[in-house]
Amino acid sequence: MRISATIFLTDETITPVRIARELEQRGFAGLYLPEHTHIPVERVTPYPAGGDLPREYGRILDPFVALGQAAAVTERLGLGTGITVVAQHDPIALAKQIATLDHLSGGRFTLGVGFGWNVEEAADHGVTWRTRRDLVRDRMGLMSALWSEEPTAYEGEFGSVRASHAYPKPAQKPRGRLTGPRTLVGGAAGPKLFQHVCAYADGWMPIGGRGLTQSLPVLREAWTAAGRDPNALQIVPYAIHPTPGKLAHYAELGVEEVVIQLPPAGETEVLQALDAYADHV
């Protein structure tokens, strides 16, 4: 099983360069970074985990810039977002960022797709909350058109693009109906989320990794019904705190990669956490 890591990198934590080098040297499979452009002070939306919103949420580094640094100082380490709030991006610009990062890293990028939880943050980006999932699906279709080998036009409900020359292309090759980098949809189990997984992704990134025994059969049924290859579905439990028993359970379910949560801290504390996880790697 591949062991990757995620961390809230901020202006106060260990740097992208140092964490990337340490992860690769210690045999970790990848580095995944979250995204929030800003956290409005006047926020009504509750923090999904309950209680006060942790300080690091308002200080997160831009994941694509940070992963670009990580790519430059590593050779094998996977690079991913966990997650990109696709609805809050211009899809043409985002397609260029993603393709460039995948190209420069030699095909090491994984796009984690999410729908967001902060209503006020999304509203500042002009996102209508009730249609954000449809917006994400539309933007994924538009980006896929730009990543296609031949100039391909796209006309969607929320946006369009003319047939265009758009280079570089992602280094990762098309996989059946999918064009672009490896893509995982993050979020809680449910019919709506599973529709998105089956439509445009390589798999699911369940946050926390709980309840998979019940939810995986439902997803696999939907995946097969959508005409997808049953052997191609990828499940990547995200932001977990590993134990031998938990990892063994995931292995029994066919999971081949997990993403552990590191503390949003300085170099000393983060390296100590990596030392504590060494046996799992």
Side-chain angles (χ1 to χ4, degrees):
M1 181 180 293
R2 302 189 305 277
I3 309 294
S4 299
T6 184
I7 181 173
F8 282 81
L9 289 180
T10 76
D11 56 326
E12 300 175 328
T13 66
I14 189 171
T15 67
V17 167
R18 187 61 195 277
I19 186 62
R21 284 175 168 159
E22 290 288 340
L23 288 172
E24 183 161 88
Q25 290 170 5
R26 293 164 185 258
F28 283 81
L31 169 64
Y32 290 76
L33 299 180
E35 176 184 55
H36 282 281
T37 54
H38 65 299
I39 301 294
V41 174
E42 296 182 357
R43 180 175 54 85
V44 177
T45 310
Y47 175 43
D52 294 333
L53 184 69
R55 169 186 176 88
E56 60 266 19
Y57 274 77
R59 308 186 75 96
I60 298 174
L61 301 182
D62 180 282
F64 291 97
V65 176
L67 289 171
Q69 278 200 321
V73 298
T74 57
E75 296 180 352
R76 302 175 304 279
L77 189 71
L79 310 161
T81 54
I83 49 73
T84 298
V85 190
V86 173
Q88 296 179 183
H89 287 266
D90 176 288
I92 298 175
L94 181 59
K96 173 71 77 173
Q97 287 178 283
I98 291 169
T100 299
L101 181 54
D102 197 54
H103 169 74
L104 292 177
S105 68
R108 289 187 279 151
F109 181 63
T110 294
L111 174 63
V113 173
F115 307 103
W117 59 265
N118 191 333
V119 177
E120 290 77 21
E121 178 184 357
D124 285 346
H125 286 278
V127 175
T128 300
W129 191 250
R130 64 179 179 80
T131 60
R132 74 192 189 285
R133 292 177 182 269
D134 294 332
L135 176 60
V136 168
R137 186 193 296 264
D138 196 63
R139 290 190 166 168
M140 291 300 298
L142 190 154
M143 291 194 296
S144 180
L146 289 170
W147 294 330
S148 297
E149 287 299 323
E150 298 297 329
T152 303
Y154 180 83
E155 185 71 37
E157 180 182 358
F158 298 94
S160 62
V161 67
R162 296 173 175 83
S164 302
H165 299 294
Y167 290 85
K169 300 299 182 186
Q172 296 174 57
K173 299 305 180 184
R175 304 164 304 286
R177 71 173 73 169
L178 302 185
T179 301
R182 179 190 190 217
T183 299
L184 303 170
V185 177
K192 291 182 179 179
L193 184 127
F194 289 167
Q195 287 174 7
H196 284 259
V197 173
C198 296
Y200 56 76
D202 295 281
W204 178 32
M205 185 185 284
I207 312 301
R210 291 181 293 274
L212 293 185
T213 303
Q214 294 75 34
S215 57
L216 270 185
V218 179
L219 173 55
R220 288 192 171 115
E221 182 178 356
W223 182 268
T224 303
R228 305 293 301 274
D229 179 357
N231 297 318
L233 177 62
Q234 300 179 37
I235 307 298
V236 182
Y238 188 82
I240 71 163
H241 297 280
T243 64
K246 187 180 293 185
L247 294 179
H249 174 62
Y250 291 149
E252 291 174 356
L253 295 174
V255 170
E256 297 181 353
E257 180 184 8
V258 299
V259 183
I260 65 171
Q261 180 70 63
L262 296 175
E267 189 171 299
T268 300
E269 185 176 343
V270 171
L271 296 185
Q272 288 174 346
L274 292 179
D275 289 338
Y277 291 138
D279 289 344
H280 300 307
V281 178

